[in-house]
């Protein structure tokens, strides 16, 4: 048996904890998927698309109607319109888009800067490219970037910088000042940018999602990744997209065509219709989830868990130090097995977790009955 190409990789923590939840009948607030219905218009449109015969391979880049809808939506949201033919590619979820972008431009021996904690698919994709992930820690309390540390991490081998806003797992968001700092850092370099913006519409308290696409100095060097699954409550459909300038898109599509080639055809037709005919869905998504966040947070205050601020996304970090001194992985196992609620530990999102950190992630993209059942059990801690 040859040596593993990914010796540090096992089964993802999301799979492990979801399986443990099933085995012990726990309320699963771990894995980030909604347990409420997909929009009715989208379901109806999917059925019509299948009955209309859109069941074979679509265009490798995505059907024209969807790419055009994405371009129009980008203009509506960010004030800039990408070319649907040369700058928009539909993918089998955001994870595929992230993998394709990394492999399109990162070569063996190069370095990719990631900001810890970061989503667990980043580093394996970097390592499979023969490159090295350079981890720069976010502030352990606010999860804000230390731009001086990012600047210090840049070397002649740096090929790509990866950012994520709203941030998974913390919900922290980059502001306009952060993007301007990023412009200054990258100015005069050949470093490319990968911006993971899958929670772009789930922002709270009147804030605006500050997309890389708003800034020409950034978008001219960036892959910007989005997810239909997060926006439309259908994570199992595995459909997303990447916007990048023509030269980067051309390289991106070289990987995409030999990775998945194309993505779920009838869903592409359904999303094209949904985006065009019901923009109020994505425009109202922040308010929809803010009500869930506020209700969940209020009820958590009656437990011994301390909820942290959540500016965006659909995850709630809680400090469990008043409950246990266990490390986060052991605490999540105990919480699932003994108390019947499943959470996700933060340490798998880090190369080197902060010493003594006692934080876990709970998902509030759930219906009220699910969250109430979880709260009832958490009140017994």
């Amino acid at each position: 048996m040859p040596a593993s190409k990914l010796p540090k990789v096992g089964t993802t923590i999301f799979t492990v904890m979801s399986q443990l939840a099933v085995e012990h009948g726990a309320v699963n607030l771990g894995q980030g998927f909604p347990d409420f219905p997909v929009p009715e218009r989208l379901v109806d449109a999917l059925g019509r698309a299948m009955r209309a015969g859109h069941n074979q391979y679509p265009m490798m880049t995505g059907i024209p109607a969807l790419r055009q809808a994405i371009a129009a939506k980008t203009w509506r949201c960010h004030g800039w319109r990408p070319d649907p033919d040369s700058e928009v590619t539909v993918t089998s979820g955001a994870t595929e888009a992230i993998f394709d972008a990394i492999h399109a431009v990162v070569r063996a021996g190069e370095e990719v800067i990631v900001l810890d904690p970061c989503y667990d698919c980043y580093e394996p994709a970097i390592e499979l490219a023969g490159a090295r992930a350079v981890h720069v820690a976010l502030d352990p309390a606010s999860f804000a970037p230390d731009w001086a540390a990012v600047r210090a991490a840049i070397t002649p081998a740096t090929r790509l910088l990866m950012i994520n806003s709203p941030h998974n797992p913390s919900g922290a968001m980059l502001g306009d000042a952060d993007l301007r700092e990023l412009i200054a850092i990258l100015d005069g370099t050949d470093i490319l940018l990968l911006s993971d913006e899958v929670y772009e519409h789930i922002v709270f308290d009147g804030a605006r999602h500050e997309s890389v696409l708003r800034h020409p100095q950034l978008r001219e060097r960036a892959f910007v990744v989005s997810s239909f699954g997060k926006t439309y409550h259908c994570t199992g459909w595995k459909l997303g997209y990447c916007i990048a300038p023509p030269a980067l898109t051309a390289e991106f599509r070289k990987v995409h065509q030999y990775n998945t080639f194309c993505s779920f055809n009838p869903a592409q037709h359904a999303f094209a219709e949904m985006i065009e005919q019901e923009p109020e869905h994505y425009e109202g998504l922040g308010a929809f989830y803010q009500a869930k966040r506020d209700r969940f947070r209020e009820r958590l205050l009656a437990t011994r868990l301390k909820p942290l601020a959540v500016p965006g996304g659909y995850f709630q970090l809680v400090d469990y130090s008043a409950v246990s001194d266990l490390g986060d992985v052991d605490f999540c196992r105990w919480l699932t097995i003994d108390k019947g609620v499943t959470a996700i530990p933060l340490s798998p999102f880090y190369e080197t977790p902060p010493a003594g950190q006692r934080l876990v992630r709970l998902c509030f993209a759930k219906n009220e009955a699910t969250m109430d059942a979880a709260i009832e059990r958490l009140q017994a801690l």
Side-chain angles (χ1 to χ4, degrees):
M1 177 68 183
S4 172
K5 292 180 70 176
L6 294 171
K8 296 186 291 183
V9 171
T11 304
T12 73
I13 190 65
F14 310 105
T15 300
V16 169
M17 296 310 302
S18 288
Q19 181 61 39
L20 201 64
V22 171
E23 291 172 2
H24 295 276
V27 179
N28 188 358
L29 300 187
Q31 196 167 2
F33 58 85
D35 67 350
F36 41 81
V38 173
E40 195 64 33
R41 181 191 296 272
L42 192 59
V43 174
D44 291 344
L46 180 69
R48 288 196 304 276
M50 289 188 287
R51 287 189 292 272
H54 300 298
N55 300 303
Q56 309 310 322
Y57 299 125
M59 291 179 65
M60 179 266 287
T61 57
I63 66 168
L66 181 54
R67 286 184 283 108
Q68 289 160 10
I70 290 167
K73 173 177 172 285
T74 303
W75 167 257
R76 184 177 181 131
C77 293
H78 306 311
W80 173 75
R81 183 185 179 92
D83 183 279
D85 294 325
S86 64
E87 297 183 304
V88 180
T89 308
V90 177
T91 62
S92 296
T95 302
E96 190 225 326
I98 290 167
F99 184 93
D100 292 350
I102 290 168
H103 282 263
V105 296
V106 176
R107 302 176 181 85
E110 294 182 329
E111 295 174 351
V112 178
I113 296 175
V114 298
L115 307 181
D116 278 6
C118 65
Y119 192 58
D120 68 345
C121 80
Y122 294 0
E123 186 162 13
I126 294 165
E127 291 183 345
L128 285 172
R132 184 172 77 91
V134 176
H135 295 262
V136 177
L138 297 169
D139 183 277
S142 68
F143 298 93
D146 180 342
W147 293 118
V150 170
R151 190 185 292 272
I154 292 173
T155 74
T158 304
R159 177 63 168 164
L160 182 70
L161 168 63
M162 299 180 67
I163 60 173
N164 173 210
S165 178
H167 180 248
N168 180 13
S170 74
M173 292 172 57
L174 298 179
D176 182 69
D178 290 302
L179 295 192
R180 295 191 182 282
E181 190 73 35
L182 193 53
I183 290 169
I185 289 171
L186 298 180
D187 184 46
T189 77
D190 294 325
I191 298 169
L192 300 175
L193 183 64
L194 198 164
S195 185
D196 178 351
E197 302 186 13
V198 299
Y199 300 101
E200 60 192 309
H201 298 297
I202 309 176
V203 299
F204 309 134
D205 305 313
R208 185 180 79 170
H209 169 59
E210 297 296 339
S211 175
V212 160
L213 297 172
R214 294 182 181 275
H215 298 271
Q217 306 98 314
L218 295 176
R219 67 176 182 250
E220 67 188 9
R221 65 171 77 227
F223 301 95
V224 178
V225 174
S226 295
S227 166
F228 290 117
K230 302 298 189 296
T231 299
Y232 292 100
H233 320 319
C234 53
T235 59
W237 291 19
K238 291 299 291 180
L239 213 66
Y241 59 94
C242 178
I243 296 175
L248 292 183
T249 291
E251 296 305 307
F252 179 93
R253 289 173 175 176
K254 291 177 184 179
V255 180
H256 167 67
Q257 72 177 341
Y258 292 114
N259 186 2
T260 61
F261 177 71
C262 62
S263 302
F264 187 29
N265 189 0
Q268 293 194 46
H269 289 268
F271 282 124
E273 178 180 322
M274 185 75 184
I275 293 169
E276 181 179 343
Q277 297 189 17
E278 199 171 317
E280 59 268 25
H281 174 86
Y282 64 78
E283 291 173 340
L285 201 62
F288 172 81
Y289 274 116
Q290 183 167 332
K292 289 184 175 294
R293 179 202 67 171
D294 292 349
R295 185 176 185 274
F296 188 48
R297 178 183 179 84
E298 181 180 358
R299 301 206 65 196
L300 280 171
L301 293 174
T303 75
R304 296 172 66 199
L305 301 174
K306 179 184 176 183
L308 277 61
V310 183
Y314 54 47
F315 300 113
Q316 172 69 66
L317 293 188
V318 293
D319 185 325
Y320 65 86
S321 56
V323 176
S324 173
D325 290 328
L326 290 171
D328 61 356
V329 175
D330 289 337
F331 176 79
C332 286
R333 289 186 58 84
W334 171 81
L335 189 66
T336 297
I337 296 169
D338 287 19
K339 301 302 178 182
V341 178
T342 297
I344 293 293
L346 251 63
S347 58
F349 292 80
Y350 285 92
E351 179 183 49
T352 305
Q357 186 180 72
R358 297 290 183 263
L359 298 177
V360 297
R361 192 194 81 174
L362 301 171
C363 178
F364 57 83
K366 306 296 178 184
N367 63 45
E368 291 187 3
T370 301
M371 290 193 284
D372 288 349
I375 289 290
E376 183 178 349
R377 298 180 185 193
L378 294 173
Q379 285 175 336
L381 291 176

